[in-house]
Structure formats: C-alpha cells, structure tokens
Amino acid sequence: MFSLTNPLHPDIWPSVMRFEAEVCAMAANMLCEGDDSEFICQLNQKPSKVCGAITSGGTESILMATKAHRQWGNRDRWISNPEIIACVTAHAAIDKACDLLGIKLVHVPMDDATGEMDLSATAAMISSDTIMIYSSAPNFPNGTIDNIEALSEMAYKHKVGLHVDCCLGGFVLPFARKVMVKVMVRVRVRVRARVRLRVRVRARVRLRVRVRAR
C-alpha cells in the first residue's frame, strides 16, 4: 500500500507525514516523562519543547544532528573551525559525520572505573570552537551510560550543544525506572543544555506488491 509513497511530498501523501508525527510523538512522550504537560507532544494539542524526525538509520541520524550543530555554531557563534568532543567509546558514525562535514573530532578517554565518558577530560577539551559534546546512553561497545546530568550542566555552562546517543538499548530506559531508579535519574531528558537524542525505533512494515507477469 505504501510502497510508492514519498515523504518528500506530504501534500500528496499526508498519511506518511502523520505516521512520522505519531512515531516521534510517542517516542518523545516515553523519553520525556509524558506525565509533565510541558513535554506532551502535539498529538494532545498541547505545547511541546520536543520535536523529532525519522531518518533511514543510525548514521543518518548522527549526521543530521552533527550538521544541525555545525549550522548553529556557524550562525549563532561565528565558529568557522568547529570541534566536537566524543568519548573513545562513541558510535563510529560520529567519526564519519565529522569527516564528511569537515569538523574536528576530539576524542576523550573513558573512566576506567565506570566505563563512562571521562568528565574531567571532557571539561579540559572544551574550547571556543566546541559546538557539541557527544554522549551515549548507553554507549556502543559496553553498554554503560554516560553521566548525562553532569554533561548537561557542563554543556549549559559553556553554551555548547549536547547529543545523547540512545541507539542501542536506549528505548529500554523509560521502562527501567521500575527496577533502576538511579539510572533513570541520570538519563532523563529534562536537562538544561541544548539536547539532541538519537533513538532507534524498529517498525514492522508489511508491504503488498502486485506483480503482473508478461
């Protein structure tokens, strides 16, 4: 039914645009503590500080977030040689994004005791050219969760963006509140920095295709 649709033309296929809006709204409602009316999305006809878009996969999601921060840094802060700070455990797509967009990627070590992004090393590497701190919840190789609240305060203090990669397992976090309250406190979205989340949503799509034989 939807094999011939094109999201670039929502005027022709408005249902595709509606699908995207509903998926983003449901994801935002889960990740942003939907009991707070400030964060309930447009499906409920209430104000929202959360917006989103569906991409083709992890690499494109990180590429879009990286590009958005590059444009923001250039437009609002006149940064011509942008830098992004990421832990050595970050998803490889941030390396690809920085290479494609001409951004200097500054790697910092992880804390050997916790497996999280090293906060002291991150703070030391922030410069006037920093446009974004790249964090993970959980991170790609070992599943530990970076200290998002501390990184948010750091980003807010230095007026830089904060990207939280929730790709592998991030969708579990809203449901982990029942068994891991301490973890949930550290990854909730209500932080003060400019935050961009990447969450992988897998949908089961059934297509019906009619093939006409010659």
Side-chain angles (χ1 to χ4, degrees):
M1 180 178 179
F2 299 103
S3 59
L4 299 177
T5 59
N6 188 337
L8 289 176
H9 299 285
D11 54 328
I12 302 175
W13 293 287
S15 58
V16 177
M17 180 175 61
R18 179 68 177 184
F19 292 160
E20 180 178 39
E22 289 183 354
V23 170
C24 290
M26 287 185 287
N29 202 35
M30 281 198 304
L31 294 169
C32 302
E33 301 184 5
D35 53 338
D36 187 337
S37 60
E38 185 181 34
F39 286 92
I40 295 178
C41 289
Q42 62 269 26
L43 287 183
N44 296 330
Q45 303 299 316
K46 293 183 179 180
S48 173
K49 292 184 178 180
V50 179
C51 60
I54 294 178
T55 63
S56 62
T59 294
E60 186 185 6
S61 295
I62 292 178
L63 185 66
M64 295 296 288
T66 304
K67 183 179 184 295
H69 278 87
R70 187 190 69 171
Q71 299 303 95
W72 165 75
N74 180 263
R75 183 195 63 201
D76 291 5
R77 296 182 54 192
W78 297 82
I79 296 176
S80 56
N81 298 298
E83 298 178 359
I84 288 177
I85 301 172
C87 187
V88 292
T89 58
H91 194 286
I94 188 61
D95 293 76
K96 291 188 284 184
C98 288
D99 184 58
L100 285 169
L101 296 171
I103 298 172
K104 180 181 178 182
L105 181 59
V106 179
H107 277 123
V108 296
M110 71 173 186
D111 187 308
D112 291 332
T114 64
E116 301 171 4
M117 189 174 188
D118 190 303
L119 296 176
S120 299
T122 302
M125 297 308 298
I126 296 176
S127 71
S128 58
D129 288 328
T130 301
I131 57 171
M132 183 176 87
I133 298 173
Y134 183 101
S135 62
S136 303
N139 69 52
F140 188 74
N142 51 33
T144 56
I145 298 174
D146 292 333
N147 193 329
I148 305 303
E149 284 188 330
L151 290 169
S152 169
E153 291 299 320
M154 190 183 302
Y156 184 82
K157 176 182 177 181
H158 294 278
K159 294 180 173 59
V160 301
L162 174 66
H163 178 82
V164 183
D165 188 347
C166 298
C167 173
L168 296 175
F171 238 48
V172 176
L173 297 178
F175 307 100
R177 182 184 306 181
K178 296 178 181 178
V179 291
M180 294 186 294
V181 177
K182 183 178 180 181
V183 173
M184 280 305 301
V185 168
R186 297 181 59 191
V187 297
R188 63 181 185 168
V189 179
R190 287 198 297 176
V191 289
R192 294 202 293 170
R194 179 193 301 268
V195 178
R196 294 184 185 272
L197 285 175
R198 177 175 79 103
V199 183
R200 178 169 295 177
V201 181
R202 291 187 181 274
R204 185 185 298 273
V205 179
R206 183 174 296 172
L207 295 178
R208 210 163 100 185
V209 180
R210 180 174 294 176
V211 180
R212 187 173 294 175
R214 292 185 177 181

